[in-house]
Structures are given as structure tokens and as C-alpha cells.
Amino acid sequence: MITNTEIEYKGNLYPNQIVDFKQETDKFYFTTENGVILEITVLRNSAIRFRYATDYRFQPDFSYAISPTASKGYNQLESEETSTEYLIRTSKIQILVDKKSLRVQISDLEGNIINEDESGFHWEENHEHGGNNVKMSKITQTGESYYGMGDKATHTNLKGKRVSNWVTDQYAYTKDQDPLYKAIPFYIGLHNNIAYGIFFDNTFHTCFDFSHERRHVTSFWADGGEMNYYFFYGPDMGRVVRAYTDLTGTPELPPLWALGFHQSKWSYYPESRVKKLAKKFRDLKIPCDAIYLDIDYMDGFRCFTWDKKKFPDPKRMIDELYKDGFKTVVMIDPGIKVDRNYWVYNEALEKDYFCKRADGPIMQGKVWPGECSFPDFTNPEVRKWWAELYKELIAETGVHAVWNDMNEPAVMEVPSKTAPLDTRHDYDGHPCSHRKAHNVYGTQMVRATYEGVKKYVYPKRPFVITRAAYAGAQRFTSTWTGDNVATWEHLWIANVQVQRMCMSGMSFVGSDIGGFAEQPNGELFARWIQLGIFHPFCRVHSSGDHGDQEPWSFDKEVTDIVRDYLELRYQLLPYLYTMFWRYSEDNVPMLKPLVYYDQEDPQTHFRTDEFIFGEEILVCPVQEPNAKGRRMYFPRGKWYDYWSGELIEGGMEKWVLADIDRIPLYVREGAIIPKYPVQQYVGEKEITELTLDIYYKEGVEKSTVYEDAQEGYDYTKGYYSLRNFKLNGKEKELIIQQFKNGTYITPYEHFRINLIGLPFAIKAIEVDNVEVPLKQVKPNGDNTIMVHKDFTELHIIGA
Ligand code: GLC
């Protein structure tokens, strides 16, 4: 029962008194005296949608964020009315709606409060623009922490902070600067070992106050639209993040090469320079899969054109690069140059595809080419047209992938840095101003790009990248953290931003390694590479006007370090790919902050630096110059030092060594880490064996290796290889069982198994219950054994 109902609200006592209640299957409607309707929809046992109308009217129900394949369904739903409240109960939670105040309280079935309204829903009329500013305030529970919210460049734990969402071109942003390029109005609350999430699906400018203004209150509000939020119950954080990610969707698997290393700069031109760059990678044997062409490849920054002086025959160049393993990625911006001699401009003009101002003129703003107009990507017809524009670039010229930038949209030389707020948008048939469409503009652009690239690279898989994003953009695209700076502080920022993005449903993310603005010294570059190889998207990019940022631009020591770490990235590709598959399939974030990994341990609630890469690898970047080591926190459990094999007991902070060539790296005991041989690019070599690094543990652990053709869509027809391993370690034996799924035949025949941390000497080995001569499986006599890939049980017996 809600006790403190004696709240004064707008001078009236209890204006929100419920006067009408109605249930329609999974929807509940509560109408108040003053015309508010609360609609509660039960989506899943632990996922509930709350929507509030004023003046008895809901707005049309439309969202760009929600995935069409989001899961639905619950197995229990009851409701009940008492003299003071309504109760809705699922098999996991109970929602209480107070009759006098419309305030909501959500608890688990034991009665532990998960989340409760303070004032709850309130609003103010917006006289200037119409509609309301809609607000929600919640009680901050004792010891509550907050996470998520996209790309905020601030401490992982948002407690005590206020942040806002308005996608913004923020060149050389600083720590704590807000807002940046993404608008992901989703947060996770954690208190009393209960985690829950709230996704405020409102595309207007939104603000979130996490006990910043008032210590006991957390609130969020928007400059327009509806109070429309989704609530997800854990109690563990993993469930919350997965439920949000399920609702807003995940990407298909990318081509494996997209998980390789990418080299970019503003800009590589002309062709001879690009060729030299490519050759240098191969000469120095530094792995690389993709080269980026920034805006200068275009003719006067006109999208979908080439500067033929710089690139006389792009198709030939792209083919030649490809023969050497390089994929070419090109930039496309939303601003279309106002130019009567430019076919894209003319076509859009003719078809009436540009955004217009309130009173009718076409919206214009300056970007790289000068005056530009901007296609209205919120119009499905415009998206279709835009997708078709890629035909020439992809199908004819052979470009492999596309990079969408400046799609906030960024407009130069105006204080707002973007389109005027009165600019009109179709919004898929719900016409509105830029106030509502701004945060989704970039996502709708990259969505159209994705459709086009997908169509024209088919039967291969598309790869696209965007700078601006709203919640749900992850269904179409990867992203990077925008124009960062080559400073040590930005290395820290990159680390928290990428972890935060992973918690916010968008795992396919990385930073401009080395920093976009200014120039790193060799040490910073090396440290950034050491972190960057553990980011799902791994690309060096820089503004290019402060000096070079290729792996060999510093001294030989740095080049060697960069090579070693990129080689490690390429070795870990099957592990990374399995991470991606889990993300795509089961909504699991690819990186996990320690609080996600072990929320029960309060030590994790304020950690920023350490994270779990996938399921089993603990990474802690060095973020200071001249370091020979650092302190780091080991989560509970036992961890093997990747470099030395030493076993470390977690649950404590420790000093670890980390000279310039070492990043602190640990593997959870019981893990099985798959590795490929080093390649200069994905597909360079036929994989003739899969290495499995098996980290002994006393007890049982499970792990998975997912593989497929690394390209194309056959995997969707069952043509994949899924290996589930069960490890069972005892004092004098180790048993590995394999359960296989899928019809893809991997090209290798054998596993090369490295047994790490075995507490006993090997006396005998049985494969599927048949003892095999040790010489046959252990040719080198060490703890490496060669076993056929189809074994079902491997039994290692100690002396
Ligand atoms: C923007 C992008 C940057 C790009 C530059 C030129 O600043 O964020 O990555 O290099 O524009 O296109």
C-alpha cells in the first residue's frame, strides 16, 4: 500500500483520483478525475509498458525503437481491487496503482519494492509548441545505483548526475560533456540486489535526473510527446539488459571481416596513397581487413560521386585492394549539396524528398559541400529511394560497406548545430517537427543505408556504421563514439562509453583508436590499441591534420606492440564471433561491466575500468602514462593470468604488472577459449585447426563456440556449427564433453587443445571411451593435445 498519499499537486489534493478502471486482456486503463488515462500493458512476466494520456486522449501509437520481433507473452496475469488500490500480478511482479494519486509501485512477489513513483506522472502544457512537457518522478531507493544511457562520457554509475538526450555533433567533447551523439533513454537501477530497467521511449529532447537535484528522487521528462515507458524487472542485471535489447532488437551477424581491424583517416587519397597504405600493412605483416575513404573521395563532397582526379577508376582500385584482402568502406553524409548540376540533388528536389521548414521552403544548412538540403529519412519512400542510390556504389563500383556520418544531422555555423526546430518530417505518416524527429533522424538514415547495402551486397552480409543513433539503431548498424581526442582522459572515456553502450543494447561499438583530434604519442597509441582490440568494433581513425596514426607512425617498439595485439585480436576471432552470435541471438551484451558480471558484490558498483570481454575474459586497460603496472579489482571467482598462467583468487583489488607491452588480461577458470591462427585478414588462410585454450577448474563450467561460413545467410538455414562444451575438473582428471548442433562442416579436422593450469601430470587420455596412445595425441609431450573435432567425450586422466 502507498502510504504517503497526502501530496499537494498543483494546488489540488488528489487531482489524480481514479474514477474509472477497465481491463482489456493484457491492457489496463485507469482514468482520473482530471482526464489522465494510465494504460498499463503486460508484455511479458517481467516487462510492462506504462503510458499516460492527458485530456482523455492518447497519441497515435508509433515507435521507431521497438523491434518487430520483440518477444511477447506471459504465463500468469491476475488483477484485484481493494478499497485503496488496484493490483496487477504476473508470475514475477506485482503492480499497485493507488486510487487517490494514480501513483504506481512495483514490487516482487515477496513484497520487496523494485520501483515506486514519487509524484509519479505530472505535466505542464507547452504553450509555444503545443502538447505537454511530460514528467515522471520516482523514489530513489536506499543505496540505489544507475547505469546505461548510451554514450554518456561520464562515470559508469550515474548516481548523482543529470543527463539529457539530444543527438549532437560534439567535436572534441570532454569528460562529462552532455549530450553527445546518441540518444538512448534507457537506464538500469540497482538496489538491494534488485536490478530493473526503464526505457522512456520518447524521441523529444529528454532529461534524466538520478538523484542529482533531490537526493531521494530520480526523475525523467521530455519536451513533448507522451509519458511512455517500459519497465523491466531483473532481479539480475543481465535479464534487464537482455529484456531491453530484446524489445529494441539486435543486429544480424556481420560478415566476420567486420570484426577484424579497420584503418581509417580523414582522408586517405589519392589512389596511390591508399595503395601504399595497403601495401605497408602487408609488408609489415600487420593484420587489417578494411580501409576507409572519408569525404575527400567524393567530387566536391557530393555523396554518391567520385573525385576522378583522386580516384580515376574506383572499381579497379577496390578490386585490387580486395584481392589483397582489403574491404573498402566509404563515407556517405545526409547533406546533399544544393547544386542544379548534381543528379542526387535534382532527383530529391523533383520527388519532393527534402525536409521543409514550417512555412514551406526547403530546409537548408551548411555542411562540408556548402549549402545542403537534407532528405527526410523519416519518410519510408525517401528511405527506399536512398537505399537504391547505393546500387552504383555497391553493385557496380564494388564498395563493400558504408559509413554514415554527420547524421544528427550536423549543420555548421549555426548555434543549434542542427536543423531548425520547425523543420517538418513525415515520421512514417505522423507528421511532426524536428523537435520530435531530431533524435531519430540519423537512425532512419542509416536504416535506409543498411537496406540499400544489404540489397546490393547480397548474398553477402552488409556492414554499415553510423555516428548518430536513437534506441533500436543497433538492429541496422554498428557505431563509434565520435570525435574524441588523443588524450589519456579520452582513453578512459572510450572505455566507459563502450561498456555503457553495450549495457544500452548497442554492442557493436568502438572508439576512434588513438583519438580523432590531436595526436597521440606512441605510448598512448599502444595503450589504446591494447584496449581497442577488446572493443566489438576496432578501428583507428583520426582527423589526419595533426600527424599520422598508422601502426608504424611511431617507433618500432610501438609497431611491434600494435602488431602483437592485432594478432591477438585475429586469434580471438572465433571467440569474438561467438560473443556476437550470443548478442544477436540472446541479446547478451558483448562487454560486461563488473556490476553486470556480479551485482551482488558491492565493490563492483562503482568500478569503471575493468570489464568482461564476452563471458570469460577480464580486461583492465592501462590508462595512465609511464605505467609499469596498476591496481585493479578482480571479481569473485578464480582468474588465470593470460600471460603467465598464474591463478588469482578474485574478490579483491590487487597490483598487477603491466609494462608497455602488457595489458592486464585474465581468463576465468573453467573457460574454453577458441582461437584461429593469425591471419593478415579474414579468409586469408583456410583454418586447418581450431585451438582451444582450456583453463582447468575443479568443478563444472560450460562454454560455447559458434562458427559458420563467416559470410552470407546460409547460417539462417541451420548451416552453422555450434559446439557446447561441458568441462568437469576433478583432482586427478578433466572431462570435456562436446554437444554439437548445426550442419555447417568446419574446414578443420582437429582441435589443438592447450591445457592450462592442470594440477596433475597426464597419465592417460581417452577419447570417446577409447584410450589413445599419448604419443599420438600429445606429439610434443607437453600439455598440448591434438583431438579430432567430433569427439563427444575427452577424458584426461592424471598420474
Ligand atoms: C566528422 C566525423 C569524422 C570524419 C569527419 C570528416 O567529424 O566524426 O569521423 O572524419 O567528420 O568526414
Side-chain angles (χ1 to χ4, degrees):
M1 176 159 146
I2 292 187
T3 44
N4 177 25
T5 49
E6 304 290 322
I7 48 161
E8 287 276 335
Y9 185 62
K10 276 191 178 169
N12 294 328
L13 198 59
Y14 310 143
N16 278 343
Q17 171 95 37
I18 296 172
V19 291
D20 188 46
F21 165 74
K22 198 169 68 184
Q23 176 178 2
E24 288 171 7
T25 325
D26 54 356
K27 287 189 192 298
F28 299 82
Y29 293 91
F30 305 87
T31 307
T32 67
E33 218 167 50
N34 62 344
V36 172
I37 309 173
L38 161 61
E39 176 195 83
I40 295 181
T41 310
V42 176
L43 302 168
R44 302 172 69 181
N45 294 317
S46 301
I48 314 288
R49 180 180 181 196
F50 294 87
R51 237 177 127 199
Y52 295 81
T54 56
D55 293 325
Y56 304 100
R57 274 188 71 204
F58 282 102
Q59 295 174 17
D61 192 12
F62 173 77
S63 167
Y64 283 118
I66 309 301
S67 161
T69 59
S71 316
K72 269 202 175 148
Y74 47 85
N75 50 24
Q76 194 186 322
L77 183 57
E78 292 162 10
S79 63
E80 191 187 318
E81 184 179 349
T82 73
S83 58
T84 52
E85 59 221 11
Y86 294 95
L87 289 166
I88 300 169
R89 207 171 295 118
T90 73
S91 62
K92 299 276 188 217
I93 52 175
Q94 171 167 289
I95 303 153
L96 182 157
V97 183
D98 183 65
K99 284 189 171 172
K100 280 185 178 163
S101 63
L102 195 68
R103 289 191 297 165
V104 170
Q105 186 186 76
I106 308 169
S107 55
D108 65 18
L109 297 184
E110 276 93 64
N112 302 305
I113 291 177
I114 306 166
N115 182 263
E116 59 185 320
D117 287 355
E118 187 246 357
S119 294
F121 174 59
H122 50 293
W123 73 100
E124 264 164 40
E125 258 182 66
N126 185 330
H127 292 289
E128 196 184 341
H129 301 285
N132 300 314
N133 295 347
V134 292
K135 308 176 185 193
M136 171 60 62
S137 66
K138 302 276 188 185
I139 292 171
T140 300
Q141 305 293 330
T142 313
E144 186 156 7
S145 288
Y146 299 94
Y147 307 93
M149 299 295 297
D151 63 348
K152 306 298 173 209
T154 193
H155 196 288
T156 328
N157 190 335
L158 294 163
K159 178 76 169 278
K161 295 183 191 292
R162 177 183 283 195
V163 294
S164 60
N165 296 305
W166 183 256
V167 298
T168 304
D169 174 13
Q170 222 42 291
Y171 173 79
Y173 54 96
T174 55
K175 183 172 176 232
D176 297 327
Q177 186 162 359
D178 179 61
L180 302 178
Y181 304 88
K182 317 287 189 288
I184 306 189
F186 165 65
Y187 74 86
I188 302 141
L190 173 65
H191 61 84
N192 303 302
N193 200 21
I194 297 173
Y196 68 90
I198 285 185
F199 169 43
F200 181 22
D201 188 10
N202 181 310
T203 63
F204 285 79
H205 174 252
T206 53
C207 279
F208 286 72
D209 185 303
F210 299 105
S211 292
H212 168 81
E213 192 175 306
R214 290 189 288 156
R215 217 151 58 84
H216 301 296
V217 178
T218 285
S219 55
F220 48 93
W221 61 96
D223 292 358
E226 254 178 16
M227 178 46 62
N228 167 32
Y229 75 88
Y230 294 81
F231 170 87
F232 313 96
Y233 168 57
D236 61 286
M237 206 173 277
R239 274 178 181 274
V240 175
V241 172
R242 292 201 313 269
Y244 164 75
T245 309
D246 176 74
L247 184 74
T248 54
T250 55
E252 300 171 352
L253 287 174
L256 186 61
W257 66 261
L259 299 179
F261 174 67
H262 301 203
Q263 179 74 37
S264 182
K265 168 179 285 179
W266 179 15
S267 292
Y268 290 123
Y269 67 84
E271 172 180 336
S272 57
R273 187 158 168 227
V274 176
K275 286 294 200 47
K276 244 169 97 180
L277 174 82
K279 184 167 180 311
K280 190 100 183 192
F281 271 104
R282 298 298 180 242
D283 286 351
L284 292 179
K285 294 216 170 315
I286 297 174
C288 181
D289 257 282
I291 292 178
Y292 283 58
L293 301 182
D294 205 321
I295 41 174
D296 299 283
Y297 80 89
M298 302 176 200
D299 172 17
F301 308 125
R302 290 171 189 82
C303 292
F304 304 101
T305 68
W306 288 85
D307 180 335
K308 289 291 173 85
K309 280 199 212 85
K310 294 177 186 138
F311 296 98
D313 188 353
K315 180 173 166 47
R316 179 191 39 75
M317 178 189 78
I318 291 166
D319 282 352
E320 286 167 7
L321 286 171
Y322 187 64
K323 285 200 185 96
D324 212 4
F326 293 98
K327 274 61 72 179
T328 305
V329 186
V330 303
M331 176 172 277
I332 291 287
D333 286 347
I336 298 299
K337 186 177 170 71
V338 175
D339 174 0
R340 282 301 203 160
N341 297 314
Y342 170 33
W343 62 280
V344 180
Y345 177 76
N346 286 337
E347 239 181 75
L349 197 64
E350 219 170 87
K351 295 175 191 278
D352 200 15
Y353 284 167
F354 286 127
C355 296
K356 293 199 188 114
R357 302 291 300 270
D359 297 325
I362 289 176
M363 182 236 145
Q364 286 193 5
K366 278 209 178 68
V367 205
W368 309 119
E371 267 326 306
C372 289
S373 285
F374 298 80
D376 182 10
F377 297 108
T378 70
N379 178 340
E381 203 181 309
V382 175
R383 289 199 297 270
K384 240 180 154 173
W385 165 75
W386 186 260
E388 287 306 314
L389 293 179
Y390 287 102
K391 181 168 183 205
E392 196 183 315
L393 205 56
I394 308 277
E396 284 152 36
T397 313
V399 163
H400 298 94
V402 175
W403 170 20
N404 281 168
D405 184 30
M406 305 295 273
N407 52 350
E408 291 73 26
V411 175
M412 294 166 173
E413 296 172 24
V414 292
S416 74
K417 298 186 176 188
T418 193
L421 295 183
D422 70 290
T423 303
R424 303 295 300 166
H425 296 272
D426 179 70
Y427 214 92
D428 280 66
H430 309 86
C432 67
S433 77
H434 199 63
R435 295 173 68 243
K436 180 172 173 179
H438 173 80
N439 279 337
V440 297
Y441 183 83
T443 302
Q444 295 315 303
M445 174 195 185
V446 73
R447 174 184 177 184
T449 296
Y450 161 80
E451 295 295 348
V453 176
K454 183 168 171 160
K455 178 166 175 188
Y456 291 111
V457 297
Y458 190 84
K460 293 187 170 175
R461 304 176 194 167
F463 171 68
V464 297
I465 172 163
T466 183
R467 192 170 71 174
Y470 181 70
Q474 70 269 13
R475 301 202 295 277
F476 318 111
T477 183
S478 66
T479 190
W480 87 106
T481 57
D483 294 346
N484 60 2
V485 189
T487 62
W488 288 93
E489 184 172 72
H490 261 277
L491 180 57
W492 180 91
I493 293 175
N495 184 14
V496 293
Q497 280 186 303
V498 172
Q499 291 183 54
R500 187 189 293 295
M501 287 292 290
C502 287
M503 294 284 272
S504 310
M506 204 160 182
S507 279
F508 201 3
V509 57
S511 68
D512 280 354
I513 294 175
F516 176 74
E518 297 175 25
Q519 209 207 1
N521 61 19
E523 185 189 4
L524 176 57
F525 187 76
R527 291 302 194 190
W528 210 316
I529 282 278
Q530 289 171 353
L531 171 64
I533 65 150
F534 296 107
H535 285 167
F537 175 60
C538 180
R539 178 184 76 163
V540 167
H541 180 56
S542 66
S543 67
D545 46 5
H546 301 277
D548 293 338
Q549 232 157 282
E550 288 81 43
W552 48 86
S553 306
F554 308 91
D555 56 27
K556 180 168 181 306
E557 188 188 13
V558 172
T559 309
D560 291 343
I561 292 171
V562 172
R563 182 191 299 104
D564 285 350
Y565 279 87
L566 292 181
E567 287 182 349
L568 177 58
R569 167 98 177 180
Y570 277 74
Q571 287 179 296
L572 287 173
L573 278 175
Y575 180 78
L576 195 56
Y577 197 48
T578 301
M579 275 160 68
F580 207 111
W581 169 78
R582 265 186 199 288
Y583 167 51
S584 173
E585 198 69 14
D586 294 334
N587 311 303
V588 178
M590 293 175 70
L591 306 191
K592 299 158 187 75
L594 291 197
V595 65
Y596 179 106
Y597 184 74
D598 187 0
Q599 69 186 42
E600 274 181 45
D601 175 4
Q603 292 291 330
T604 65
H605 296 191
F606 283 89
R607 301 302 306 192
T608 50
D609 297 0
E610 308 86 352
F611 62 90
I612 309 288
F613 173 68
E615 307 290 319
E616 338 259 17
I617 299 180
L618 169 64
V619 182
C620 184
V622 173
Q623 299 168 150
E624 278 175 13
N626 303 318
K628 300 272 178 233
R630 63 160 294 160
R631 290 199 75 79
M632 68 174 278
Y633 186 72
F634 288 84
R636 295 184 300 178
K638 284 187 184 156
W639 302 89
Y640 284 94
D641 183 325
Y642 178 81
W643 307 109
S644 69
E646 186 200 342
L647 193 60
I648 292 160
E649 180 74 48
M652 63 179 100
E653 210 180 56
K654 273 190 173 223
W655 173 266
V656 295
L657 293 176
D659 216 336
I660 181 69
D661 58 349
R662 282 283 178 270
I663 181 171
L665 198 59
Y666 300 86
V667 184
R668 200 155 61 95
E669 63 162 357
I672 298 183
I673 310 288
K675 283 179 171 168
Y676 282 162
V678 170
Q679 301 178 79
Q680 297 308 302
Y681 56 91
V682 166
E684 184 206 17
K685 295 181 181 157
E686 191 181 35
I687 308 296
T688 52
E689 63 187 29
L690 182 75
T691 298
L692 297 177
D693 286 349
I694 298 185
Y695 291 83
Y696 173 86
K697 168 185 177 161
E698 195 167 332
V700 178
E701 280 295 325
K702 287 184 176 154
S703 39
T704 302
V705 180
Y706 173 88
E707 291 168 285
D708 62 21
Q710 311 179 354
E711 250 303 359
Y713 287 92
D714 286 349
Y715 75 98
T716 60
K717 298 172 208 135
Y719 205 56
Y720 58 81
S721 152
L722 186 64
R723 303 174 189 280
N724 286 306
F725 295 105
K726 185 172 162 200
L727 171 150
N728 190 355
K730 300 183 183 159
E731 210 186 317
K732 288 232 173 243
E733 57 182 331
L734 180 65
I735 301 161
I736 314 283
Q737 288 170 300
Q738 178 177 212
F739 307 90
K740 257 210 77 186
N741 225 317
T743 54
Y744 176 70
I745 314 261
T746 51
Y748 53 85
E749 287 300 319
H750 286 87
F751 295 132
R752 170 182 296 270
I753 294 180
N754 295 316
L755 296 164
I756 296 152
L758 265 198
F760 52 78
I762 300 173
K763 187 174 86 186
I765 292 179
E766 287 174 7
V767 178
D768 297 335
N769 294 321
V770 179
E771 184 165 345
V772 285
L774 283 184
K775 257 200 268 130
Q776 189 186 316
V777 279
K778 245 160 66 80
N780 301 327
D782 56 11
N783 272 358
T784 296
I785 58 179
M786 304 296 290
V787 182
H788 192 267
K789 66 174 176 181
D790 288 332
F791 79 80
T792 51
E793 187 170 300
L794 173 65
H795 196 166
I796 295 154
I797 301 151

